[in-house]
Amino acid sequence: MKKIISSFEKKSNNIYIICRILIGLFFFIAGFNKLFHPIFQGYMFNTISSIGFPFPQFTAHFTAFCECIFGLFLMLGFWTRISSVFLIIIILVALFTHDLNSIPRDLNPIKPETGMYEMDPFTWLSYFLYLPQTLYLMFLTLFLFQGCTGLGIDTLRKKIHNK
């Protein structure tokens, strides 16, 4: 059993690096598509316009640019904590302005007394945890607190700085 645990501990750094690279790659590709692909540009503009953000064209481009750049930085392990903060902000804004509204309300009957839907907390939590943004948020929080470990530019900078 100790050998198995030791093996997992040795590989945990590699798994962390793979997760950081893949989450960074996801944000890089998503931001890149929103910057340069007409269909994704339109989707991003329509989403931001429907939410009511001021200057929707600028906000859409700025958000896509931040996703692309900070996703690339996260992938490379460069400014890992700063990149995580910016991406966490983007995810939180998306969650509170758009994605929480995607949790269905029609699964629960309308209460006759109030005329409103009442979703029990466990059902709501299961839908919330099912959102991919929640998983991204958890990973980004891990990267924020852990920083760049293993393979990455931040690690190389630390090694050079400590010499």
Side-chain angles (χ1 to χ4, degrees):
M1 187 64 157
K2 286 184 180 183
K3 283 185 178 182
I4 294 172
I5 292 172
S6 176
S7 176
F8 279 132
E9 288 174 352
K10 288 177 184 175
K11 292 181 174 49
S12 67
N13 197 33
N14 294 339
I15 293 169
Y16 177 86
I17 293 167
I18 291 168
C19 289
R20 181 180 47 80
I21 290 170
L22 291 177
I23 297 290
L25 182 63
F26 165 76
F27 278 103
F28 173 74
I29 291 171
F32 186 87
N33 282 339
K34 292 171 190 170
L35 281 173
F36 300 110
H37 194 284
I39 292 173
F40 289 101
Q41 286 174 340
Y43 175 73
M44 183 72 169
F45 176 77
N46 290 339
T47 301
I48 288 189
S49 295
S50 68
I51 293 169
F53 278 103
F55 312 109
Q57 190 71 36
F58 171 78
T59 305
H61 280 77
F62 180 75
T63 304
F65 177 78
C66 286
E67 280 185 33
C68 187
I69 291 300
F70 291 114
L72 178 65
F73 286 176
L74 187 66
M75 194 171 45
L76 297 174
F78 179 63
W79 287 351
T80 304
R81 288 188 166 108
I82 294 169
S83 299
S84 296
V85 167
F86 275 92
L87 295 171
I88 285 170
I89 291 168
I90 290 170
I91 288 292
L92 286 174
V93 170
L95 259 173
F96 287 112
T97 60
H98 183 262
D99 299 318
L100 288 180
N101 296 328
S102 70
I103 295 176
R105 296 181 180 192
D106 56 350
L107 297 177
N108 297 309
I110 296 175
K111 286 198 158 205
E113 307 86 44
T114 61
M116 299 180 69
Y117 294 105
E118 293 228 3
M119 184 178 289
D120 67 278
F122 292 113
T123 303
W124 186 90
L125 185 60
S126 71
Y127 276 100
F128 175 73
L129 293 174
Y130 192 75
L131 292 171
Q133 292 81 352
T134 308
L135 183 61
Y136 300 141
L137 189 59
M138 289 189 295
F139 272 113
L140 290 168
T141 303
L142 174 68
F143 303 147
L144 172 65
F145 286 103
Q146 192 73 23
C148 179
T149 58
L151 181 66
I153 295 172
D154 289 343
T155 304
L156 293 173
R157 286 185 10 210
K158 282 181 196 174
K159 286 181 183 177
I160 292 171
H161 187 263
N162 290 336
K163 285 186 178 183

